[in-house]
Amino acid sequence: MNYWNKINKQRVIESYKGNKINIEARINTVKTTSQGSFLESVLLNIGDYDISSFRVQSLIKTKGDCKYLNDGNIISFNGKISRIKPPRNPASFNAKLFYSRKGIYHESYLNSKDIKVLNNQSEKSNILQQIRSYFDKSIKSCFEDLQHASIVSALCLGDKSEMSKATKNSFISTGSIHVLAVSGLHVGIIYTLALALIKCIPFSNRLTTIQPIFLIGILILYALLTNHPNSVVRASMMLSIFLIGKAFSKFTSPYHIVCLSAITILLINPDALFQISFQFSYLALLGIMFFYKRLSTNKITNNNILNYSIQIILVSVSAQILITPLSIYHFNQFPAYFWLSSLIAIPLAFVTILLSIIFLVLNLFSIPILIKLSSIIANILESVVYFFAKAITIIERIPYGLITELYLHPISTFILYLIICSIILYIINQRKIFITTTLLLIILQYSFQIFIRNKCWNTELIEIYHKHKCSILTMSYQGKTIVNKSSNASFEIDHLISIRKIQQFVFYPESRFKKSAFGLYEFNSKHFFIHPKNIPNTNPTNLKIEFALINNMDTVKLDRLNKLYKPKAIITDGLTHWKSRNEISMWAKRREVRYHDTYVDGYYKILLN
């Protein structure tokens, strides 16, 4: 009976799809960006139907500031609910897949002003929100530059909502963005500070039973304050297991603790395996655990500062060994000076978090001497963050710091990890078979790259990508891609690199790409129309065209186009008005001509060979 009840409630949601209806929902998480807010929530009521028992999760996208909303709020709004759509272009961010792994399949769009808060959050959420709010206000009060305040918020709580795109790009380009995303590094800093605090307490050596409880409590509180990302949960869980084992005089291999934490997270949320943060977190940790111990066997110099600097570089290199293939596969770039940025970012992150905690504690008291001391700490903190931001900017400006336009095929990525695993097995066992295996895998990788290159060289195709209110048209042959800059489509090379993994561009005009009158184009003896303004009355050469990319064309011109040129497909894009789009769709159905709308259906590909 319960099964059929759930099916009926799912049908209730689908029946309201596309219609404006009153919806009540409970917010799980609030994520604020410069473009708006994303509210991950559980639907409670749709219209007159109570669906709270079904626990349907939905994504609510809003325009405007939603900082007044907190986790646990129950909200009400009038809006449309629909299924999350797949991406319109290949290799673009797949929001449907991303949110489906969180159990979210529906979304709503509305203005933040249209949201009514029906009740406040739970007591736990309220306390956490008050702590976050106190932290945010206190930090902003001691900074003249809000961007510097946003760096501190990101370092301590992982809140990058007020950080500018330029600041984020600086950290991304230098390979130090991991410092701004709360992770095991931050948990380690918090743990170190908490441990140092305990040791400052008199007779702390007698409180061996209370110490683990206090430390685990601090770790849990920090995980809750940062909205428990995978990296923080993993690090907190590992340290908690270590502390419990230490309390009972039970010790085990660090690899066992890593595996136990990963299994626990996957049992709670199996889809975490497919999240980039989960993959990066565990690969970086395993890289540090395995390679750092072997790279830092001997003390290079007697200078402690130099030794500490070398250790930081070795830790960064150890982490990069395992995450580099995955990083290139996902982001198509590699920061060449990651070791230099880590040398600056890690110590300054520690100092920044330490000074922030001291400042926040002192700021709680109204004693004059403590107020004066907190003012001094605030000035020091501002100077440290200024130096931090300036140093990252200087590193970003060093030539050849960010290697871009890198492309790894999924199979190439898999082979690279097989090569790394083979090298690791050789380091452990010192058997010649693993050297042979590594060499064979390198040959396989090289052969696969040649195969992909030849395939691209021999493929001739035209691709039409969706872009807001326009389209991007490319022609590919012999490993090159021609971009038609003369069409009405606005072109962004960075966007196209990210969705197409194109490595070489040849801009129009080009010998193989010709334009004639009326918007008629020729490419490798194939003809097609791109946004023709007029259709000629005659076709003396009896040309047959592959397709016509049109917008807002009436049926009279369409009939003339079809009669004279016999297009294999009619394509419209975001420039086409929805009424005209409907008319063209009906016309194509009557004339039995293939019709494709990039605004609705997305990417379109035409193979020419």
Side-chain angles (χ1 to χ4, degrees), residues 174-187:
T174 55
S176 53
I177 189 67
H178 63 92
V179 176
L180 299 183
V182 284
S183 60
L185 169 68
H186 302 71
V187 174

Side-chain angles (χ1 to χ4, degrees), residues 155 176 178-179 185 189 308 311-313 315-316 338-353 388 392:
L155 278 169
S176 53
H178 63 92
V179 176
L185 169 68
I189 292 171
Y308 178 71
Q311 286 175 8
I312 290 175
I313 292 171
V315 167
S316 299
F338 68 89
W339 54 274
L340 181 58
S341 61
S342 294
L343 189 60
I344 294 170
I346 292 174
L348 289 182
F350 180 85
V351 173
T352 303
I353 293 173
F388 190 3
I392 293 297

Side-chain angles (χ1 to χ4, degrees), residues 313-332:
I313 292 171
L314 291 177
V315 167
S316 299
V317 171
S318 301
Q320 282 291 338
I321 290 171
L322 286 186
I323 67 171
T324 294
L326 197 65
S327 177
I328 293 173
Y329 172 70
H330 283 296
F331 306 115
N332 313 116

Side-chain angles (χ1 to χ4, degrees), residues 116 226 243 255 269 563 608:
K116 296 178 182 178
T226 56
L243 289 168
Y255 294 100
N269 179 22
K563 182 180 178 181
L608 302 178

Side-chain angles (χ1 to χ4, degrees), residues 420-487:
I420 293 170
C421 289
S422 182
I423 293 169
I424 289 171
L425 289 171
Y426 173 74
I427 293 170
I428 294 170
N429 298 312
Q430 297 291 315
R431 294 176 63 182
K432 291 182 179 179
I433 188 172
F434 295 116
I435 296 179
T436 307
T437 305
T438 303
L439 291 173
L440 289 173
L441 287 169
I442 291 171
I443 293 169
L444 178 63
Q445 175 76 302
Y446 185 70
S447 302
F448 183 74
Q449 292 296 329
I450 292 172
F451 168 75
I452 291 294
R453 193 174 299 172
N454 288 338
K455 186 179 178 182
C456 291
W457 185 271
N458 296 323
T459 301
E460 294 182 358
L461 75 156
I462 297 174
E463 295 168 293
I464 302 172
Y465 296 91
H466 167 77
K467 197 80 173 71
H468 182 61
K469 291 190 176 180
C470 67
S471 53
I472 300 171
L473 190 138
T474 66
M475 284 69 68
S476 302
Y477 77 100
Q478 295 181 359
K480 298 178 181 179
T481 296
I482 303 171
V483 179
N484 178 23
K485 289 186 73 175
S486 65
S487 70

Side-chain angles (χ1 to χ4, degrees), residues 26 41 43 244 344 372 374 385 404 415 428 608:
R26 183 179 66 252
S41 57
L43 300 181
I244 292 168
I344 294 170
K372 183 68 176 175
S374 69
V385 176
T404 57
I415 295 172
I428 294 170
L608 302 178

